[in-house]
Amino acid sequence: MVRRLPSMVSAFTVLVFVFLYLPIVVVVINSVNADKFLVSWGGFTTKWYAKALNDERIRTDFITSAKVAVASSLISVAIAVAASLWARNARVWSRRALDATTYMRIVLPEVVLATALFIFIRRLHFQLGVTAIVIGHVVFNSAYATVVIQARLATLPISLEEAATDLGASPRRVFQRVTFPLLAPAILVAVLLTLSFSFDDVVSSLFLGGTNAETLPVLLLGLIRISVTPEVNAIAVGVMLITLITFACAAVVATVRGSIGVRSTPQAPDVEE
Amino acid sequence: MSTTAEQSRPPAIALEQLERHYGDLTAVAGIDLAIADGEFFSLIGPSGCGKTTTLRIVAGLETPSSGRVSVRGQDVTDVPAFKRTVNTVFQHYALFPHLNVFENVAFGLKERKVSRSDTRRRVTEMLELVGLTGREKARPKQLSGGQQQRVALARSLVLEPAVLLLDEPLGALDLKLRKQMQMVLKEIQREVGITFVYVTHDQEEAFSMSDRVAIMHKGKIEQIGDPVDTYRRPQTLFVADFVGASNRFEARVVERLGSGSYRADMGTLGTLDVPGVAGLAVGDQAVAVVRPEAIRTAPGFGDAVLDGTVTDVSFMGPQTQYVVDAGGLGTAAMLSPADDDDLLHSGAAQQFRFAARSAWLVAADPGPVDDAQ
């Protein structure tokens, strides 16, 4: 019995992974399957990718997705840096308030946030579209970015900035020469993370895009309602690759920055998903 | 250290009625202080006495609740830290981890827009002074504690400040390195001639380096003076305790003898003529402070005799410390040079002696000494 238990556990584990990843494998395989109806393997082809790339709508949606990702990422990180720096010198209660809103934005279901924002925007007679999607993404992205930046800031002793001040640097110069360079790795990680979160978001983009703007994941959702064409598989793989690559970059930066090291004392654990 | 320069030039640092409160907490409770140009001055006291806060106020990193700060005669109370001509060596060095040694030392010069060639020359000179030539490209993390300390020192000194503030700069080093760095600091201070204001809780360290020391207690300065004077003639019981081990014997003033001496009734020790602080009145309860090294066992030595039993012997190399149970007089400590032929053993009953003029009379503490050390 003692020996059999682990093998059952590992069998179950394998099963879970198969369940999780098999669909993705199927999608990847089918994206290069020459069989139009995807019922059997019809040989290797890249024509679905070519077709997807030549599709005007897909290209427009890709650009929309990219715009939204870049804009929401940069705005989110700027907010996160400002909020984190402010929180350091804030009173305990204000700091707790910031933490509460940060975690609320992460914990609350996205549907709730998106619905609320949708109603709010309509009430204000503000147009749905790219800007609205960006705002929607900033809501959760700024929260993730704040967590990353704050974790980094916690490992930086305030005496570094005091030393810079003491040596004659004005507050602006202290930020330029000390705070920002020391935060840079965390800022990069935050940018990459938020880019990938934004790029594969469906809910907020769907609610807030209206008829004016459509992102790639939203297009995908629309397409699979009709039928799963080989082209859909190609787009899905494309979205997946973009997200994966940014995420991998974030992971690499996070590890490399650990080895560069900022303090001689052991570092606090990095907070990243 | 009164020099002629002191009279003609304004003090490097002058503090007037300086106070700092945090809510109900008082960190600095009214300090008046003038530190002369070129002086090595130490602020010492137990942790929480306000010495670091005082230093940070001088640096401009902390705002005083009231009072004025002047540097070389100029009021800088409202001048922001980055515009002051004082620099700080921080307790944990606070070296910039993303910059190498050269860039760390050049940091302040860059803010002052010193030319490239001048920067190179001054940084090189400074690194030579602190003995770090050849380590320009190293990151702070790659340096030992002592080397980091030297970089921190060079980074501040290269700006030729009016005053260098040092906040427990040797606190993180081990004993041997600390002793070595004390010598280095003192040498450098002599060489560059810059006023040093040194904060430490270690009175021995302060005494060995400073021209003058100020002993702080509960946000106030208890005594300012040169180390010898402070050690021999403490003005309060707190100072007597803080600046080294002391034996205390109860005394009552029976007569003022003039020239700073008193005739005091010291119970079983008899009536002795003891020097002491000014201002004690006949009938005052006082404490006679006797340093452990002033107590001897040689027959016929001194004029005060106490009978006691040795309860503990600690051999410390150059000297030996004895703890003596002196019956009704309490316990006493005695320090003897190690070459003393007849080392006493625990349990030995003996007469212990000291000269009345080596004792020092201070007013008995009005309240309990709650936070000494």
Side-chain angles (χ1 to χ4, degrees), chain A residues 8 22 32 34 39 46 64 80 88 90 92 105 112 126 133 149 171 177-178 189 206 225 231 233-234 239 253 265:
Chain A
M8 271 180 65
L22 193 64
V32 291
V39 285
T46 54
T64 306
R88 231 173 12 161
V92 181
R105 281 175 286 161
V112 176
F126 189 80
I133 301 176
I149 304 286
R177 295 189 68 191
V178 177
V189 168
L206 189 62
R225 285 216 187 109
E231 226 178 315
N233 286 317
V239 171
V253 171
T265 46

Side-chain angles (χ1 to χ4, degrees), chain A residues 197-253:
Chain A
F197 286 155
S198 169
F199 202 80
D200 70 359
D201 177 79
V202 180
V203 180
S204 296
S205 307
L206 189 62
F207 274 67
L208 303 169
T211 49
N212 305 320
E214 184 180 64
T215 62
L216 219 43
V218 173
L219 169 68
L220 264 182
L221 185 66
L223 290 179
I224 59 167
R225 285 216 187 109
I226 305 160
S227 71
V228 179
T229 60
E231 226 178 315
V232 168
N233 286 317
I235 305 169
V237 172
V239 171
M240 187 175 76
L241 281 180
I242 292 172
T243 310
L244 271 182
I245 289 167
T246 27
F247 224 93
C249 288
V252 168
V253 171

Side-chain angles (χ1 to χ4, degrees), chain B residues 9-257:
Chain B
R9 271 194 280 175
I13 296 274
L15 307 180
E16 289 167 60
Q17 284 303 309
L18 202 67
E19 289 187 31
R20 179 64 167 112
H21 310 279
Y22 300 95
D24 293 340
L25 210 109
T26 300
V28 179
I31 284 186
D32 287 283
L33 181 64
I35 299 171
D37 223 353
E39 197 172 16
F40 197 129
F41 190 92
S42 288
L43 277 173
I44 65 177
S47 56
C49 71
K51 55 192 191 299
T52 294
T53 308
T54 306
L55 198 76
R56 288 172 59 84
I57 290 173
V58 175
L61 298 170
E62 201 89 51
T63 326
S65 305
S66 64
R68 315 301 300 169
V69 180
S70 314
V71 175
R72 286 194 172 151
Q74 267 190 328
D75 190 327
V76 297
T77 315
D78 301 316
V79 175
F82 69 95
K83 287 184 182 159
R84 294 195 187 182
T85 53
V86 296
N87 289 115
T88 310
V89 174
F90 289 81
Q91 192 167 7
H92 299 289
Y93 323 134
L95 300 179
F96 305 120
H98 59 300
L99 303 178
N100 65 27
V101 169
F102 185 94
E103 292 161 336
N104 261 283
V105 178
F107 191 96
L109 295 173
K110 197 167 173 186
E111 287 307 316
R112 295 192 181 175
K113 303 194 166 58
V114 173
S115 75
R116 246 163 197 282
S117 56
D118 271 4
T119 300
R120 178 151 291 282
R121 183 181 52 77
R122 284 169 71 174
V123 172
T124 308
E125 271 174 23
M126 199 42 73
L127 287 176
E128 200 180 306
L129 179 73
V130 299
L132 277 176
T133 306
R135 301 291 278 149
E136 288 86 350
K137 291 273 180 286
R139 297 257 165 183
K141 217 181 140 186
Q142 297 168 304
L143 302 177
S144 69
Q147 288 173 324
Q148 290 184 24
Q149 173 61 62
R150 288 158 195 252
V151 177
L153 197 61
R155 185 175 70 174
S156 294
L157 282 177
V158 77
L159 297 174
E160 293 164 5
V163 179
L164 185 71
L165 310 171
L166 302 101
D167 183 10
E168 305 245 4
L170 309 182
L173 303 177
D174 60 57
L175 186 67
K176 202 173 167 192
L177 202 54
R178 201 152 72 217
K179 296 276 176 217
Q180 195 188 324
M181 281 305 293
Q182 286 175 13
M183 304 292 286
V184 172
L185 278 177
K186 206 170 166 179
E187 262 170 44
I188 288 176
Q189 198 264 343
R190 281 211 195 104
E191 199 156 329
V192 296
I194 289 173
T195 312
F196 275 33
V197 180
Y198 194 95
V199 159
T200 179
H201 63 271
D202 183 344
Q203 59 87 19
E204 227 176 281
E205 186 171 295
F207 277 16
S208 70
M209 293 190 286
S210 316
D211 297 321
R212 283 196 306 158
V213 294
I215 291 105
M216 284 187 71
H217 180 46
K218 291 183 176 171
K220 281 185 181 287
I221 291 179
E222 293 253 330
Q223 185 169 349
I224 302 180
D226 67 73
V228 175
D229 197 54
T230 309
Y231 186 74
R232 294 204 179 142
R233 287 174 284 279
Q235 295 301 300
T236 65
L237 203 50
F238 173 81
V239 174
D241 270 340
F242 190 77
V243 299
S246 55
N247 296 306
R248 308 159 165 209
F249 301 106
E250 276 181 33
R252 199 172 52 81
V253 178
V254 291
E255 195 185 339
R256 295 167 58 117
L257 298 173

Side-chain angles (χ1 to χ4, degrees), chain A residues 138-200:
Chain A
V138 165
V139 170
F140 58 84
N141 265 345
S142 59
Y144 288 110
T146 304
V147 171
V148 173
I149 304 286
Q150 274 190 325
R152 173 56 159 193
L153 214 51
T155 68
L156 298 179
I158 196 106
S159 62
L160 291 176
E161 282 153 291
E162 286 183 346
T165 305
D166 188 77
L167 294 166
S170 63
R172 192 176 59 85
R173 295 284 291 164
V174 172
F175 182 77
Q176 268 178 18
R177 295 189 68 191
V178 177
T179 320
F180 186 79
L182 290 175
L183 278 185
I187 289 175
L188 190 54
V189 168
V191 165
L192 292 170
L193 272 183
T194 49
L195 273 180
S196 73
F197 286 155
S198 169
F199 202 80
D200 70 359

Side-chain angles (χ1 to χ4, degrees), chain B residues 317-329:
Chain B
Q319 50 198 6
T320 308
Q321 181 185 288
Y322 300 98
V323 177
V324 175
D325 178 7
L329 293 167

